[in-house]
Structure formats: C-alpha cells, structure tokens
Amino acid sequence: MSNGFETLAIHAGQQPDPVTGAVVPPIYATSTYKQDGVGGLRSGYEYSRSGNPTRTALEECLAAIEGGTRGLAFASGLAAEDALLRAVCAPGDHVLIPGDAYGGTYRLFARVFSRWGLAYDPVPLNDIDAVRAAIRPETKVIWVETPTNPLLGIADIAALASVAHEAGALLVVDNTFASPYLQQPLGLGADIVVHSTTKYVGGHSDVVGGALIVRDSGLGEDLAYHQNAMGAVAGPFDAWLTLRGVKTLGVRMDRHCDNAERVVELLTAHPKVTKVLYPGLPDHPGHEVAAKQMKRFGGMVSFQVAGGEEEAVAICDRTEIFTLGESLGGVESLIEHPGRMTHASVAGSALEVPGDLVRLSVGIESVDDLLADLTRALG
Ligand SMILES: *Cc1c(COP(=O)(O)O)cnc(C)c1O
C-alpha cells in the first residue's frame, strides 16, 4: 500500500468485519476458538496467547505506520523489551545502551539481564567514535533512544545503523518519544523499533502497552515465537484501546508540536528560565540531526530555572492545568521534577539529572490556557 500515514493509521489491519460489517474491529474477548475437526482451524486462531483478532488488527496497523512488515503487541513497553532481548541475545553477549537510557530500560539491563549473563555498557550515542570504540566482538545490539528523556538528546539513527551493521550487530530504536508520525527508524536503517504504546501511540493515558516492529520477516518470526513462548501479550481490550488511540496519532502529534513550540517560545523569553531543552531550537545539541530524521520536534520540553532545585519543585507544585505526574504522551499536559520523580533512582550515578530541571509533556489543550498556566506558575 502506498497510502499516507493517517490513512494507514485509520485503515491498516482494520477492514470492516466480514460477518456484520462493523467498521471498528470488535474486542474479541475469547481465550480459545472452535476447531472444525481436529487440527482444522477456521481462521488461523487457536488460542489467544498465540493470536487474537483484536491484537492482530493493532499489530498490522503498527507495522504499517512504522514502515515494517511485522508488528507485535505486548502487555507493556518493558515486556516488549524483555522478549526482544531474549530473542536476539544469549548469555555472554554484549549490548551498548544510551548513557541516559529510560530508567526502566536501564534497570532491565542492570538488574535483570546482567544476572542472565548479558553485559552492557552505557555510551554517549551522539559521539559515534565513542560508540565504535565501545563495540566488542560479542556486541549484539546497539540500543538507541532519540530524543532521550529528560534531556532530549539526539542520536543519528542512520549513522548508528551503519556502525551496528559493520560490527554485525542489530540496531534497536526505542521510538516512544518521537512516535512513528515524527520519525520512522526502520527507513533509516534500524532493525527493530520498540514502543511503549502507553505514551503517544495510545495517547490518552488510559492503557499500558508495548510493541516491537521489524522489516525482516525472519526476525519477525523469531520475535513472534518469543512473544508466544514468554506470553506477555497485549489483551484484547488493551489492544482495542490502543488502536483507538492510533487513529488520531497524526492530528494529535501535530497539535502536541504546535503547542510545544508556543511553550518553548514563552520559556525562552522568560527571565526566570535559564535554559530550554527542545530539539527544535537551533542551538540544541543535535538539532541538525533531529531536523534531518524527524518530521517535527515533538511534544516534550525540558527547562532549567533560576533558584535551583527548590524553585523547580515549587513550579511543579504551582501549575493547575499541567498536572503533576509521571508518564507522558497523553492528550493532557503533565509536569514533573525528574530529579525527585522519574529519575530519583539514578541520583548519585552518571545518569543523574540537574536539580533545577523541570520536564513538560505538552498536551493538546487550548494553548493560551497552557501559556497562562505556566506564566502563573513561573511567577
Ligand atoms: C515508558 C517508557 C518505556 C517503558 O514502557 P512501559 O509501557 O512503561 O513498560 C520504555 N521506553 C521509554 C522511552 C518510555 O518512555
């Protein structure tokens, strides 16, 4: 299909039901399927861990909007990462991870897979020479996040894909922050895309889920085998909610970007703000790479304030429309203090974030209300 993004998001995997004509794929709340004689599967489905039509609709849609051939939906982003690592790595292998990896991903490597015998090294992904130097004969995966959380660092996906492939390794990109509307890593050479669909893909802060998308069908088979063998699949209701969110991903992302750009303008001009971190700013490290590989710059904005940690915390407490909370990517605006909330567990480590830092997930409310809320909270 050569249809555009929004057409795929609304139609891929979602043909009207052949029996009733229902336009929206139903929630197939069933664990098992009647067989027409022993071994005679009516529709290819036999048991809902192995496959469920609502989940298939989501999986086909996600594959289409990421430009892949196979999508797999999981119970959470971390469940997807777990299945991926067990499928492509073995004890004794080595993985390179971002120096500022998502905390849950870092914990998976540091506390879970290290006991399984998988070695890892955090590297600054924006430094290609450092990445090359960190590769070992056992390196199986280079794991990329771009933009990163919460400093919105940028990594060059195409350049890292070449480095990985020269070394015989796979390039995995966690595309959660950008979403497939803004960035399509498979087209830039990545082998596997990971999503926490909990965030922008679902988009309404009402469901936890994860996904893997690949181009290579053999790799897709192997991941599907592990999805079934390990069993952390997305349930039919979760798959349905996520698919409902996907339909509006394009229009939501455009509004997230519009609103974020206005918020960045306000923050940049505000006397209390000492630094604004946003990939769309010309002086942001990696801006040129972001401009090359992203359609727009996303809805996440971080900033630092005069007055240090206490003032940053006070601002988080003073907003009214920006709700104080973790997570991101929903229609509602969220504010948080990474040092004491999402990144509290990395205090004292190399991953520690500045105390005067505030992170915004800019939602799609009326932008004037968002600007007024921030102006009031900044004082
Ligand atoms: C939230 C998140 C995850 C983990 O996903 P869950 O759905 O919470 O398991 C992984 N990567 C990034 C970038 C995230 O923001």
Side-chain angles (χ1 to χ4, degrees):
M1 261 202 288
S2 59
N3 284 323
F5 185 92
E6 286 88 347
T7 308
L8 293 172
I10 293 168
H11 294 289
Q14 304 166 77
Q15 295 74 25
D17 180 60
V19 178
T20 62
V23 167
V24 174
I27 302 169
Y28 283 90
T30 188
S31 60
T32 189
Y33 306 82
K34 176 178 164 32
Q35 306 197 5
D36 294 332
V38 174
L41 300 184
R42 221 174 251 206
S43 54
Y45 293 101
E46 57 185 7
Y47 184 61
S48 278
R49 169 164 37 71
S50 317
N52 174 283
T54 317
R55 193 174 95 221
T56 302
L58 172 62
E59 292 178 332
E60 289 183 359
C61 185
L62 292 175
I65 62 175
E66 276 289 5
T69 60
R70 185 87 186 247
L72 298 162
F74 291 83
S76 69
L78 286 176
E81 296 183 13
D82 185 20
L84 156 58
L85 290 170
R86 287 183 208 270
V88 304
C89 295
D93 287 345
H94 173 249
V95 176
L96 294 179
I97 67 169
D100 52 353
Y102 172 76
T105 300
Y106 178 74
R107 183 175 56 199
L108 192 62
F109 285 107
R111 307 260 179 273
V112 180
F113 275 97
S114 61
R115 288 199 294 132
W116 191 61
L118 183 64
Y120 68 94
D121 275 312
V123 282
L125 293 179
N126 56 0
D127 181 346
I128 296 287
D129 292 333
V131 174
R132 230 186 229 113
I135 286 176
R136 304 188 201 160
E138 320 80 79
T139 304
K140 272 285 164 56
V141 164
I142 300 180
W143 190 283
V144 174
E145 290 174 27
T146 184
T148 62
N149 178 24
L151 300 175
L152 301 162
I154 299 295
D156 187 331
I157 296 171
L160 289 166
S162 304
V163 172
H165 296 155
E166 274 164 31
L170 295 171
L171 192 80
V172 172
V173 176
D174 181 335
N175 204 26
T176 299
F177 264 48
S179 91
Y181 181 67
L182 299 180
Q183 175 173 281
Q184 300 191 330
L186 298 178
L188 297 165
D191 300 288
I192 306 177
V193 167
V194 179
H195 276 285
S196 169
T197 56
T198 313
K199 317 293 170 49
Y200 286 108
V201 171
H204 294 73
S205 306
D206 54 8
V207 59
V208 170
L212 300 177
I213 300 108
V214 295
R215 214 179 24 232
D216 180 80
S217 60
L219 185 54
E221 275 307 307
D222 204 21
L223 294 171
Y225 176 85
H226 280 78
Q227 181 195 39
N228 181 49
M230 294 172 62
V233 296
F237 185 57
D238 287 358
W240 185 86
L241 271 177
T242 305
L243 194 53
R244 190 181 206 261
V246 169
K247 290 175 202 285
T248 56
L249 180 60
V251 289
R252 281 189 286 109
M253 288 315 297
D254 270 328
R255 183 62 74 88
H256 281 296
C257 293
D258 291 344
N259 285 1
E261 286 167 13
R262 295 287 303 280
V263 163
V264 165
E265 232 174 79
L266 175 132
L267 293 173
T268 307
H270 200 285
K272 204 173 215 170
V273 175
T274 54
K275 190 168 184 190
V276 181
L277 304 172
Y278 187 65
L281 288 170
D283 62 350
H284 187 81
H287 168 71
E288 273 164 33
V289 173
K292 185 180 71 174
Q293 69 189 14
M294 298 177 78
K295 181 171 173 170
R296 297 183 69 184
F297 302 102
M300 299 301 296
V301 179
S302 295
F303 63 98
Q304 289 170 271
V305 291
E309 178 154 350
E310 291 316 314
E311 187 52 25
V313 168
I315 290 166
C316 293
D317 283 334
R318 280 197 294 260
T319 55
E320 286 168 14
I321 299 172
F322 279 87
T323 304
L324 182 62
E326 300 189 354
S327 198
L328 59 114
V331 291
E332 61 289 293
S333 293
L334 298 175
I335 190 167
E336 69 124 358
H337 184 265
R340 291 201 192 164
M341 294 170 62
T342 49
H343 290 66
S345 65
V346 294
S349 82
L351 301 178
E352 188 174 80
V353 296
D356 61 0
L357 187 77
V358 175
R359 188 189 80 179
L360 304 175
S361 172
V362 180
I364 65 171
E365 300 95 333
S366 309
V367 71
D368 290 338
D369 296 334
L370 297 181
L371 300 178
D373 192 33
L374 285 174
T375 304
R376 207 164 39 228
L378 284 163

